Amino acid sequence: MANRSLYLVSITFLLLINNFCSANAISNIDDDNEEVEGSNEGQKENSYPIVDEKDVIILKHKNFSKTVKKNRYVMVLFYEPWSKEYEAFLPGYASAATELKGEALLAKVDATEVYALTKKYELEEYPSVLFFIDGVIQKRYLGKKTKDAIVAWVKKKSGPGIYNVTEIEDAKRILNTDDKLVMGFFDSLVGPNCDILAAVSRQEDYINFYQTSSPEVAKIFHIDPDVERPALVMLKKEAEKQVHFNGKFTKLAIAKFVSASKLPLVTRFSKESAQLIFENPVKNQIFLFATSSDSVKFISEFEEAARFFKGKIIFIYVELDGEDVGVALSAFFGVNGRGLMVIAYTGTEDAKKYMFVGKVTLDNIKAFGKDFLEGKLPPFYKSDPIPEINDRDVKIVVGKNFDEIVLDESKDVLLEIHAPWCEHCQKLEPTYNELAKQLRGINSIVIAKMDGSTNEHPRVKVEAFPTFFFFRAGNKNSDPITIDGSVSIDEITKYLKEHASIPFKARQKPSSSSPVDVDISKRRKNSDNNNNVVNDEL
């Protein structure tokens, strides 16, 4: 798999929102005495209609590794037996397995029985389909759930990747059936230029690549038959119907051209398009959040702006009345309930957001995009409203009062970043409240918490819930100490006493409460002009 950080950038925002809580440790995979099982042996009874799966191999822990290593091309469907999406996928998948027999092996595995495998391959939703070559995972299949789409995708991965078109009738058929394609026009159908285009084609999962040396065929694909060769065009059935390549005919230049051109001028955000958006080498993005009725007024301006920033910014439309992604994505960005909004987003690991202010016109969006690229915009951080009453033992921190409470130089502050859906956070809450109660009346210590799902601040970067940060008094310009671990009230109090800048004495002796299972190590960053890692001191 690609490294974890890149994967997190590429994953959809919907998954990001729901996967912050810590997971249990995974069990080891037992590959001893592996045997490939028959395709229908040992299957559980399922509720879906009977499908001829005679050519789909059933995999489990014991035969998974051997199967993907023994066969050159293997596609594996991870599924949950009760899933309706799996029901819809299975007929096409089974038919594809029969058609590809002898070329590639198609298998499936019940994800509920192979937890270690699902964690190993970072699978978060089902059905998920992985493709292996010689035992090494190459790609996730994100295409249509039809036999033809699966077969075409696998053949592209296992075959030449590019197809010759020499006949007029074939050209017309392709032009009518393909939603998106790349056509190369060469002097010959063999040679270095053909090899370059074929190499690029193998990197693109859902675009068919063709080549021709026929001027008549080239003309059908909107290429001037008298143009200097090699020539290249991408054709699409959308607002931007054709894009001609005018760069140097190299693998890198063509790959950049295809990546910049394959998305629509304005991409509608969905679970299906999310992966294509975040895997694109163009990381700068501008989102239009609007209802379906409002979007009609502004899509044309967005499309024209997208032409202007082609290859530099991806433009994305999020339908606010689309409950599947619109509501969740607007909540992630912190713009839910605001109505029509335009947000710029870096899409990189340091992901920053910038809010557009003004009337949505072509000139204003172009000016916004220009300032975005030049780094002239102030970042936007989401925040809940400041609570009117905040006098409980655990102080409520939001984005807007973070500086006032957490960065107060006169206070040592312990801050928990939590999320309402996180069971681990809920389990910890009684202990955290008890800690705050026992430190009540010590004015130099603040025990606080912030909902990380609806609030942000540049001083805290959170990778999992819950996470604790300790900000020392008189030292707020330094990075906070990050604390995570299995701690009791006694241990937390001891830690605060040892590390607080302002000495204090607990109002009462802490009770001997049970430890809270949080699995923690402590790291001190830039504290006391020191970058050393703090060992387990509790």
Side-chain angles (χ1 to χ4, degrees), residues 268-339:
R268 180 186 293 268
F269 191 91
S270 66
K271 290 182 179 180
E272 290 73 26
S273 67
Q275 192 82 7
L276 300 177
I277 292 168
F278 297 123
E279 282 186 346
N280 197 290
V282 178
K283 297 304 179 187
N284 294 316
Q285 302 152 7
I286 291 182
F287 287 80
L288 169 66
F289 290 86
T291 62
S292 53
S293 57
D294 283 343
S295 68
V296 177
K297 309 170 189 175
F298 305 109
I299 286 293
S300 58
E301 281 83 358
F302 245 55
E303 287 178 344
E304 287 305 311
R307 293 181 195 274
F308 185 78
F309 292 107
K310 193 172 182 65
K312 299 178 181 178
I313 302 175
I314 297 174
F315 283 72
I316 303 157
Y317 161 54
V318 181
E319 186 178 303
L320 286 178
D321 39 1
E323 293 185 2
D324 55 342
V325 294
V327 174
L329 193 59
S330 60
F332 175 83
F333 273 108
V335 298
N336 47 319
R338 294 172 181 257

Side-chain angles (χ1 to χ4, degrees), residues 344-531:
Y345 183 67
T346 57
T348 53
E349 289 188 22
D350 65 342
K352 292 182 180 178
K353 305 183 291 292
Y354 307 89
M355 184 176 290
F356 170 81
V357 179
K359 189 176 181 181
V360 180
T361 65
L362 175 58
D363 288 342
N364 286 345
I365 294 299
K366 286 171 67 174
F368 177 67
K370 185 172 181 293
D371 287 345
F372 173 41
L373 293 178
E374 294 176 357
K376 295 181 179 179
L377 300 173
F380 164 71
Y381 298 100
K382 60 187 178 183
S383 175
D384 290 328
I386 296 176
E388 294 182 6
I389 300 175
N390 200 6
D391 57 2
R392 294 189 177 182
D393 296 328
V394 177
K395 304 304 178 189
I396 303 300
V397 172
V398 299
K400 292 178 180 178
N401 70 358
F402 188 100
D403 290 2
E404 177 187 349
I405 296 177
V406 179
L407 301 185
D408 182 348
E409 290 286 359
S410 67
K411 309 286 187 183
D412 286 303
V413 180
L414 179 64
L415 175 67
E416 177 201 4
I417 311 292
H418 67 98
W421 60 78
C422 174
E423 293 182 4
H424 218 51
C425 304
Q426 295 166 10
K427 183 179 179 182
L428 174 67
E429 187 173 10
T431 299
Y432 201 63
N433 290 338
E434 179 65 19
L435 170 68
K437 180 181 178 180
Q438 294 185 6
L439 295 177
R440 182 191 302 165
I442 301 175
N443 294 330
S444 64
I445 287 280
V446 174
I447 307 300
K449 65 180 181 179
M450 183 173 83
D451 183 345
S453 67
T454 54
N455 297 277
E456 297 171 317
H457 194 277
R459 293 297 305 277
V460 287
K461 302 293 183 185
V462 180
E463 296 181 357
F465 294 136
T467 297
F468 298 87
F469 295 98
F470 186 52
F471 291 79
R472 303 181 72 204
N475 199 23
K476 298 298 174 76
N477 288 330
S478 298
D479 287 343
I481 302 169
T482 305
I483 308 174
D484 3 75
S486 179
V487 291
S488 66
I489 295 178
D490 289 348
E491 292 170 326
I492 296 176
T493 306
K494 177 183 175 183
Y495 180 82
L496 294 178
K497 282 185 176 181
E498 291 178 355
H499 293 81
S501 293
I502 303 173
F504 70 92
K505 185 176 182 179
R507 184 172 59 86
Q508 65 183 69
K509 185 178 180 180
S511 62
S512 56
S513 57
S514 301
V516 176
D517 208 5
V518 186
D519 188 11
I520 302 195
S521 65
K522 293 162 291 296
R523 302 183 304 277
R524 182 180 300 183
K525 300 180 180 178
N526 298 322
S527 181
D528 295 331
N529 298 317
N530 200 334
N531 286 324

